[in-house]
Amino acid sequence: MSIHVDIRKFFDGFTLDVAFEAGSEVVGLLGASGCGKSMTLKCIAGILRPDEGHIAVNGITLFDSEKGIDLSPQKRRAGLLFQNYALFPNMTVEQNIMTVLKSGGGYSSGRGRGRRDALERGLRLVERFHLKGLERHYPAQLSGGQQQRTALARIMAGNPAILMLDEPLSALDSYLRWQLEGEFLQMLEEFEGTTLYVSHNRDEVYRLCKKVCVLHLGRSEGERPGGVRTVRELFESPNTLASSILSGCKNYSRAEKITPRTVYAADWGVKLDCSAPWNDTSPDDIAYVGVRAHHVIVRPAFGEQGEGANVFPCRVLRVIQDVFSTIVNVQPLSAQPLSAEGGEFSLIRTELPKQEGQFREGDIVSAEIKPENVMLLKSS
Amino acid sequence: MDWFPLYNSLRVAGISTFISFFVGIFAAHAIAKAPRIVKGVLDCVLTLPLVLPPTVVGFFLLKVIGPLGPVGSRVLELWGFRMTMAWYSAIFAGTVVALPLMYRTARGAFETFDVTLLYAGQTLGLSDTFLFWRVILPNCRQGILAGTVLSFARALGEYGATTMVAGYIPGRTAMISTTVYQLWREGNDALAYKWVGINLAISFGVLVSMNMLENRYTRPRKSSAPIFSEPKRFSEPKREL
């Protein structure tokens, strides 16, 4: 049970270049909108044709530009859950599922086992996906969650070798999403093959996936051909600017290495000690530093605690009250605030426990970033 | 009263519609997938009869299927019958003028068809033929039915090209449209009124059925987006990168 993908597809001004390998586990494809996630799934499913490369699932080559192999979507056994579920509107739940079971052709293992067998499998699917009582409903009569279960049952009817889910939860409102996520977890555990889970939501990926492959502007990050990291690795030590943005980090500065343990954060105009636990010395090609919003310690008034390492004065630009926290945007006094380029980087967003009135806009405060919380990032 | 014109009109319009139904759907389906330039050219060619004067269409038809035309002379030579001045000659005229309507409406329907349904079907292992007949056509049903009705109405109302290729021979090629003209020329207003009434009734019926289809077609379809019975309790959290 494995998947091997290494493909390229060229467009005007955009190149899809994705490579990763995975076993029978849930792999998240994480990336911002328009970075080529859905396109990758379509290439694997055979709906889009890559310009070059190789795709194999469970050792069976689906596509190989060198050997001239390009299986039709019908023969790939790639179950793809579309964002809008793509149920046939003119067929009931039952018909949607049975159509696939009966067709069987070259796809399901149930070839020639007859109608009775197909009916029995259909019944089991209806029960497994909690669709009892809805068999005669048309898709338009179902709620979003029911539609999704029907679509999943239909995919399972095809006995897929790989399961691909394209933003399965993004069309649902947040309340329902929580309920469905639970169902999803269970279903993903039951499925034996590889599952590719496409999302732009880091929380979802963190909760549902074991491994993750980050896509940035059409390119998959990480070493080739492996390409995947564990979810923990990504969130605890993202190593590129794009992956740290995707992991939810909010503060960046362009940076230069000074010594193995100190960097100069150019946009903030401060020198930072760093002691990343995963990395004894900072690599030579670091281009950015990143700090998570809740890792910045803000204290009222500068100077009282003295100028320790990684402590620097800042001006409070804005105080925003969030639901459960207070967001304070500050700017280091040493930053070049008016430079057009990097202006966005000079801002530091901090997140403090909920409080009122402690900070006002215009105040000078001290900010501290602990050495272990300084993330060193490569540009790509 | 001789009912032949009614019978002949319905026969000609029916057969013309039948032919343009299949040719129109096939052309629409094929052209929807064609590259842009091919699409533009074929689209113009197939739509042209809609905007040309029927007499120009008739002129072209005569030049092609007339006894001296490239097709007409070959047919006369091989099978020994003339393609013009017979009842079936009107079918050629009817088909040419009805086809654009069938093609246009069918193409519109195919273009609004949600192509992910096709993709989903393919990844589920369903054959393209199955998907065309059981998924694409049923989901484009309204547009295709509307096109069929319009084609029938247009073929029934055809006069210019018909009179040029089929002429007016009472009991052989007479249709309602040509009969009305002939009766008016003879000053037989009483009978002309009768045929005018019959034609009005048919056209009215066709347009009413067309409107009933349109109503169904333009009524907001039940959205495929999730329908939640309970109100939203929480606002969507702002998505973060």
Side-chain angles (χ1 to χ4, degrees):
Chain A
M1 297 294 174
S2 66
I3 181 167
H4 170 94
V5 174
D6 183 3
I7 49 169
R8 277 153 299 285
K9 189 166 174 62
F10 307 103
F11 299 91
D12 287 340
F14 181 80
T15 301
L16 185 74
D17 180 4
V18 178
F20 62 87
E21 261 174 3
S24 50
E25 55 212 343
V26 183
V27 180
L29 283 182
L30 187 63
S33 302
C35 71
K37 292 167 297 183
S38 300
M39 202 181 278
T40 305
L41 294 195
K42 283 182 178 158
C43 285
I44 297 171
I47 296 165
L48 283 177
R49 194 171 181 280
D51 291 325
E52 56 184 57
H54 178 87
I55 301 171
V57 172
N58 299 346
I60 299 165
T61 303
L62 306 183
F63 177 82
D64 191 319
S65 56
E66 275 170 26
K67 292 184 196 149
I69 298 172
D70 183 14
L71 292 189
S72 71
Q74 280 92 343
K75 292 204 179 111
R76 293 193 178 199
R77 293 182 59 206
L80 174 51
L81 181 70
F82 287 84
Q83 269 180 62
N84 65 355
Y85 313 135
L87 293 171
F88 303 139
N90 56 316
M91 298 186 193
T92 60
V93 168
E94 206 171 46
Q95 288 169 330
N96 263 288
I97 296 171
M98 289 312 291
T99 293
V100 177
L101 280 174
K102 275 191 222 155
S103 83
Y107 189 88
S108 108
S109 59
R111 185 207 276 270
R113 273 198 274 160
R115 191 181 148 78
R116 181 186 287 252
D117 210 54
L119 276 173
E120 220 167 79
R121 286 181 59 201
L123 254 170
R124 258 183 280 138
L125 282 169
V126 163
E127 274 169 16
R128 185 173 145 206
F129 287 92
H130 314 293
L131 293 165
K132 248 196 146 23
L134 298 171
E135 295 98 327
R136 303 275 153 120
H137 284 55
Y138 284 95
Q141 297 169 302
L142 302 177
S143 75
Q146 291 165 340
Q147 286 185 23
Q148 191 176 65
R149 292 205 301 270
T150 309
L152 281 169
R154 190 176 67 167
I155 288 172
M156 289 306 167
N159 192 22
I162 176 176
L163 190 57
M164 301 190 284
L165 310 170
D166 191 355
E167 306 256 4
L169 300 174
S170 63
L172 307 168
D173 76 26
S174 58
Y175 179 70
L176 202 76
R177 189 149 43 180
W178 277 105
Q179 288 180 311
L180 278 183
E181 220 181 271
E183 286 176 21
F184 249 87
L185 259 176
Q186 196 187 344
M187 201 206 67
L188 295 184
E189 277 161 12
E190 280 172 27
F191 184 68
E192 287 166 355
T194 309
T195 302
L196 295 181
Y197 189 100
V198 157
S199 178
H200 60 253
N201 185 325
R202 65 188 161 106
D203 302 332
E204 236 171 73
V205 168
Y206 193 84
R207 288 191 294 262
L208 293 172
C209 306
K210 299 263 182 314
K211 297 219 172 129
V212 66
C213 173
V214 171
L215 258 69
H216 179 56
L217 299 177
R219 210 185 130 79
S220 62
E221 296 196 333
E223 281 161 36
R224 293 174 181 236
V228 295
R229 273 173 283 179
T230 64
V231 177
R232 284 186 69 93
E233 255 170 28
L234 172 72
F235 285 89
E236 283 171 11
S237 58
N239 53 8
T240 65
L241 182 64
S243 60
S244 87
I245 290 175
L246 283 168
S247 77
C249 179
K250 301 224 168 47
N251 302 310
Y252 314 94
S253 164
R254 281 168 295 185
E256 288 154 31
K257 178 177 168 179
I258 302 172
T259 72
R261 291 202 159 265
T262 46
V263 291
Y264 176 70
D267 288 301
W268 300 333
V270 295
K271 216 167 74 174
L272 293 174
D273 287 351
C274 47
S275 63
W278 58 89
N279 210 344
D280 278 343
T281 54
S282 52
D284 286 328
D285 54 346
I286 76 148
Y288 296 91
V289 289
V291 180
R292 291 184 192 280
H294 62 271
H295 281 152
V296 183
I297 304 157
V298 183
R299 297 197 186 84
F302 181 68
E304 285 167 23
Q305 292 85 19
E307 272 193 64
N310 291 11
V311 181
F312 49 94
C314 291
R315 185 187 305 282
V316 175
L317 295 182
R318 191 164 277 258
V319 179
I320 302 163
Q321 295 297 340
D322 206 345
V323 187
F324 301 115
S325 60
T326 299
I327 293 161
V328 181
N329 288 346
V330 301
Q331 188 171 46
L333 293 181
S334 45
Q336 296 89 17
L338 292 172
S339 72
E341 42 156 351
E344 52 173 326
F345 281 158
S346 71
L347 196 86
I348 299 179
R349 184 183 153 110
T350 69
E351 220 174 304
L352 310 172
K354 186 87 178 160
Q355 52 188 274
E356 305 269 352
Q358 197 182 345
F359 297 104
R360 271 169 316 178
E361 286 159 23
D363 282 357
I364 305 291
V365 296
S366 84
E368 181 180 358
I369 301 167
K370 291 254 158 66
E372 65 267 27
N373 291 332
V374 177
M375 298 189 292
L376 302 175
L377 308 170
K378 290 183 265 190
S379 62
S380 67
Chain B
M1 188 169 152
D2 175 21
W3 289 102
F4 180 79
L6 174 65
Y7 162 68
N8 196 30
S9 272
L10 291 179
R11 169 170 73 172
V12 166
I15 296 172
S16 302
T17 310
F18 184 81
I19 297 170
S20 29
F21 179 83
F22 288 101
V23 177
I25 287 178
F26 172 78
H29 191 65
I31 291 174
K33 289 187 291 189
R36 259 184 79 178
I37 298 173
V38 180
K39 198 175 183 169
V41 171
L42 288 179
D43 200 62
C44 280
V45 171
L46 280 173
T47 315
L48 213 51
L50 194 66
V51 292
L52 284 179
T55 46
V56 173
V57 175
F59 179 79
F60 275 126
L61 271 176
L62 276 181
K63 288 293 161 205
V64 175
I65 65 169
L68 299 175
V71 177
S73 60
R74 187 65 52 83
V75 168
L76 193 62
E77 209 174 278
L78 285 176
W79 293 296
F81 69 88
R82 285 167 61 111
M83 292 179 81
T84 52
M85 296 303 149
W87 73 266
Y88 49 78
S89 308
I91 293 171
F92 303 122
T95 305
V96 170
V97 295
L99 186 60
L101 289 165
M102 189 65 222
Y103 160 73
R104 284 251 135 199
T105 35
R107 211 194 78 179
F110 286 138
E111 275 172 1
T112 53
F113 174 75
D114 178 8
V115 75
T116 55
L117 295 183
L118 178 66
Y119 294 156
Q122 288 178 335
T123 62
L124 289 164
L126 302 172
S127 74
D128 288 343
T129 322
F130 177 92
L131 289 168
F132 180 76
W133 291 105
R134 297 292 307 280
V135 176
I136 298 179
L137 276 194
N139 285 300
C140 297
R141 201 183 74 220
Q142 308 291 356
I144 286 165
L145 279 178
T148 312
V149 171
L150 272 177
S151 298
F152 183 79
R154 182 68 187 87
L156 193 72
E158 166 53 26
Y159 172 78
T162 305
T163 192
M164 286 171 80
V165 296
Y168 171 76
I169 308 168
R172 282 184 51 206
T173 68
M175 292 175 65
I176 298 176
S177 56
T178 47
T179 302
V180 169
Y181 179 71
Q182 191 60 29
L183 291 172
W184 169 78
R185 269 177 32 131
E186 292 165 0
N188 190 349
D189 275 11
L191 198 51
Y193 267 124
K194 275 191 187 161
W195 281 115
V196 167
I198 289 167
N199 202 337
L200 270 175
I202 297 173
S203 300
F204 193 74
V206 165
L207 288 179
V208 165
S209 64
M210 168 83 201
N211 266 339
M212 283 160 68
L213 286 176
E214 286 251 313
N215 279 345
R216 209 187 300 168
Y217 196 49
T218 50
R219 193 184 301 162
R221 285 235 307 258
K222 272 184 196 158
S223 126
S224 58
I227 306 150
F228 298 116
S229 49
E230 42 192 336
K232 270 191 180 180
R233 290 195 198 136
F234 305 111
S235 63
E236 190 100 343
K238 199 168 178 235
R239 268 195 201 112
E240 294 157 338
L241 275 174

